[in-house]
Amino acid sequence: MGSIYYQIAASNIKKNYRFYIPRILTETGLLGCFFILYTLAVDEKLKNCYGGNYLPEIMILGLIVMSILALILMVYTNSFLMKQRKSEFGLYHCLGMEKRHVGRVLFHESFISSIISVAAGSLFGLVMYKACALLVCKLIHSEAVTGFYYIKPQTVFPPIAVFLGIDLITFIINRISISLMKPVDLISSGHKGEREPKVKWPLLIAGVICMGAGYAISISIKSPLSAIELFFVAVLLVIFGTYFLFVSGSIFILKLLKRNERFYYTAKHMPSVSGLLYRMKQNAVGLGSITILATCILVMLSTTVSLYAGMQKTIDMEYTQQCRIELDNIQESGEIYTIPFDVVTDLSYKAADEADLEIRDMINQRYLQVTAVRSGDDIRFEAPGSEADKTGEPVGLLLIGVSNYNALMGQDISLAEDEVAYCPIVFTNDDTDTIKIHGEDYKIKLTIDTFPVSSSFIGIIPVKALVMNDDTLLRINDIQKEVYGFYASSFSNIAAIDFKDRGEAMDKGYAFSDRLEDLIIEYTESQNAVVNPDLDTAWSTRDGIFGLYGTFLFLGMILGIIFIFATALIIYYKQISEGYEDKFRFGIMEKIGMSPSEVKRTIRSQILLVFFLPLIIAGIHVIAASPILLKLLRLLLLADNRLYVICAVIVYIVFAVVYALIYSGTSKTYYNIVK
Amino acid sequence: MNILNVTGIKKTYTTRFGSNKVHALKDVNFDVEEGEFVAIMGESGSGKTTLLNLLAAFDKPTSGTIKIDGKELVDLKDNALASYRREHLGFVFQDFNLLDTLCVKDNILLPIVLSGKNVKDYKEKLDKISSDIGISDIMRKYPYEISGGQKQRVAVARALITSPKMILADEPTGALDSQSSDDLLRVFGRINKQGQTILMVTHSVSAASHANRILFIKDGVVYHQIYRGELSDEELYKKISDTLTMLRKGGEN
């Protein structure tokens, strides 16, 4: 008896190849990618590569997204398959099979397709893993480690288990839906006439509100820090808004079009508008999904690509001097040992000489970098955790004493205790002639073009860069120490090195910094001090960022590819179901006097509208999301808005081309069915 | 005046490898005058569907000419044919062929819309036809909400809206119960009295007994025809039955 079920199941899969092949391919692709991400997350050797330390966390993030997507997609393809086959199950029923027998046939079908998919997917993942690992190494600028082909039972089984679990869930859903069906439904479903959908006003209003709120959050957001908190809220609002508007808004618009008799009663519009209206019930959710997937792809790729591409610029901006050495070192005893600037200068020149690098300039920066909160026109230090601290708009202060400024810039300006010099370059400019800090007014005596110190706050929060009287600076330092206590900033006393050839410095940097570190330790030991030199270099930061952004980019690409497949799959199924429904309608129109070319024209305009609407809406979503995304990118240190716009435009164009290819590929299936 | 002129129609289907030829129609000649209600009868395989497809210009004859209102159908190109069909012929099919996405009113107006005409000019006509045929009260409904008989009457209204020269009906009662069939045939009789030319293909004797003239097709030729003359429907029914019996016997010989 079992073999009969098996035979029926096998022949069913063959018969329904149009639905089963995409389903099997989807599962194969998803499992393959899941496999790759999972192995990357647990690969010990890769993790220990330079820059590979971000892999586990970021890949697990990707795995979560993928599992959810996989579950949704598998349930979607499955429900599609079931809908098309209800009358077939009805026939089995008429022929005397009980529901449990139909269930058994279904089980065998699921089992066969599941085994094929899991086997093919694992194989695909195993084969592609090496290539992907090499790509990751390349992106994070790490040497490819030999022998990191990390395949063990514990990396192979979890992905397989996850997908078998998903298959089991879809089977259970099918089994339940079969049990709930009445035999009559099984036979007659598919021919049921459906009422013309009505506009669901509550949904329409909810959709407009959600969408408007989501857009408003993105556009109105001021600071990057609040962007983190509100980003996911905005995303959720837009997702719900998109679904609601596709479900209700599409019907609303089509009804409006229909009411306009001069528009509606034309050969071009009547067949398509009525057809769309009639089928929007099933289509709306699919189209909404396509839109959201497309938006995800666009956002993921344009942010990760622009981060990766803007890395060099970010580093250049933050490191006007490529190597910074902290001179004030806290020893284990708690005492501060200051390495004399002259000594560090000598040692640096020596190390540079040995590393074959030339130093352009070396300066001793003494400055205070501290955050404050703007309240009205005052910039105040507020106790950490207080209400004013949480709600106020954060401002960075970059303060330098006038004597240090004069020494660094070779100038001779003098400032009274209530006077400051203000540098608006790169930083914010408010066009005032006084500035208020913690309740005290300072006159802006002059405006300067360049500031000798760069700030790590740049791009994240607005920064005020000021030169002030040395005593005033000390007083402000005392205030912030008192308010912030444990969290207070301390003066930076830094030896900063600017190399003649920055590119060369990036290449040979490690030779220099390693040697300098040794030299400093040697020196301090001779002075009976125990110091762990604190070097902040552009090259180590670059490698750190490469590790992070490279991993991000890789995840963006993998998820991008998966999402594109998902989109393609949904479009494919849509084309098939549209095809079967339209076949009949266009046949009638041809019979009562529509020429084949007119039929073709109507079909094309209808399909174009349906399939390119998501692309357009996704584009609008991306534009609306840009303000909040730019703020988030600033947190990740990308402050180049133009670069992001360029990346986003390129990504959109590439995606539109891919989308058009998917569309034209799948529309052949549609035409074949309609013919 | 002749509205339809069929001379020497021949239709030959060739099997795929060209070795076997099937003569669906051998030599069909007949005329239909304006205002006539003609039924074409014949058994399955006699070629009556082939003939209707040729008359509707869904297909082209192997040889011979079909003139509708003096115009040669064979010469028309595909696109011209579509618009010709739309403007000069009305169709009623066995399976109704209504679009389930359109309400009754829009289904009737569809040919007008497809011709690119302004539907406002047809408002009065729509009202008149729908009240004639008895579907005025279902104009806002959708096909799935109405019965088979009503659907077929909607199809008739759709065929009439363009004021066609001739209505071609292919087994219009085939999917209807006897009550609905009678209703529909009475509608046909009524519009025929108003001057509408109707050509109906059927194998139902009772359907054919509503016509003025009945053509019998057998083995690809018009074998016989009878006129109603002064006969009532019942008498015509009897005559048609007799003729069919005779034809069948003739076939056996």
Side-chain angles (χ1 to χ4, degrees), chain A residues 243-283:
Chain A
Y243 275 120
F244 290 168
L245 283 186
F246 262 104
V247 169
S248 58
S250 57
I251 289 169
F252 174 71
I253 290 170
L254 288 168
K255 286 239 168 173
L256 273 188
L257 291 179
K258 195 176 168 184
R259 206 162 296 158
N260 180 350
E261 295 204 348
R262 280 180 59 178
F263 174 89
Y264 180 62
Y265 285 111
T266 55
K268 210 174 153 192
H269 299 131
M270 187 153 123
S272 46
V273 170
S274 66
L276 284 174
L277 185 57
Y278 195 72
R279 286 172 314 169
M280 251 318 157
K281 231 189 210 161
Q282 302 102 282
N283 278 344

Side-chain angles (χ1 to χ4, degrees), chain B residues 10-205:
Chain B
K10 200 188 242 179
K11 180 70 189 177
T12 310
Y13 293 106
T14 313
T15 49
R16 187 179 295 188
F17 301 107
S19 52
N20 277 337
K21 288 189 173 168
V22 180
H23 302 283
L25 295 176
K26 284 174 191 152
D27 180 25
V28 176
N29 300 283
F30 68 93
D31 296 330
V32 175
E33 275 179 49
E34 196 164 357
E36 260 194 304
F37 182 1
V38 179
I40 298 178
M41 293 199 77
E43 291 181 8
S44 312
S46 61
K48 53 182 195 314
T49 305
T50 309
L51 178 61
L52 197 81
N53 281 343
L54 293 177
L55 295 180
F58 291 134
D59 203 352
K60 289 194 170 177
T62 315
S63 68
T65 58
I66 302 170
K67 281 185 188 163
I68 295 181
D69 209 17
K71 192 159 178 112
E72 178 58 64
L73 217 53
V74 183
D75 295 342
L76 292 174
K77 291 263 181 319
D78 272 357
N79 282 349
L81 262 182
S83 73
Y84 186 84
R85 200 151 51 212
R86 202 160 57 208
E87 279 155 32
H88 299 285
L89 296 175
F91 295 95
V92 179
F93 303 95
Q94 176 173 358
D95 48 0
F96 324 131
N97 278 338
L98 298 179
L99 288 182
D100 49 8
T101 58
L102 296 176
C103 66
V104 165
K105 178 185 154 210
D106 289 351
N107 257 303
I108 298 174
L109 287 173
L110 187 61
I112 302 298
V113 171
L114 292 181
S115 309
K117 290 180 186 138
N118 192 341
V119 288
K120 279 192 185 131
D121 303 341
Y122 287 82
K123 201 173 172 313
E124 277 174 37
K125 186 147 190 222
L126 181 69
D127 290 343
K128 187 184 175 300
I129 291 174
S130 54
S131 69
D132 276 1
I133 291 182
I135 50 172
S136 301
D137 46 344
I138 55 166
M139 295 299 271
R140 293 244 148 249
K141 296 209 160 151
Y142 281 80
Y144 73 93
E145 296 171 302
I146 60 181
S147 72
Q150 285 172 320
K151 279 186 198 168
Q152 195 60 300
R153 274 184 276 161
V154 172
V156 173
R158 180 180 65 186
L160 286 173
I161 192 80
T162 54
S163 315
K165 299 236 156 53
M166 181 167 65
I167 283 189
L168 293 175
D170 183 7
E171 300 279 8
T173 58
L176 302 181
D177 58 79
S178 60
Q179 180 59 45
S180 305
S181 295
D182 281 350
D183 288 348
L184 181 78
L185 290 164
R186 240 170 276 141
V187 167
F188 271 176
R190 209 154 55 226
I191 59 176
N192 175 244
K193 287 225 171 64
Q194 290 166 8
Q196 179 65 54
T197 317
I198 302 171
L199 184 69
M200 172 174 73
V201 168
T202 183
H203 66 260
S204 148
V205 178

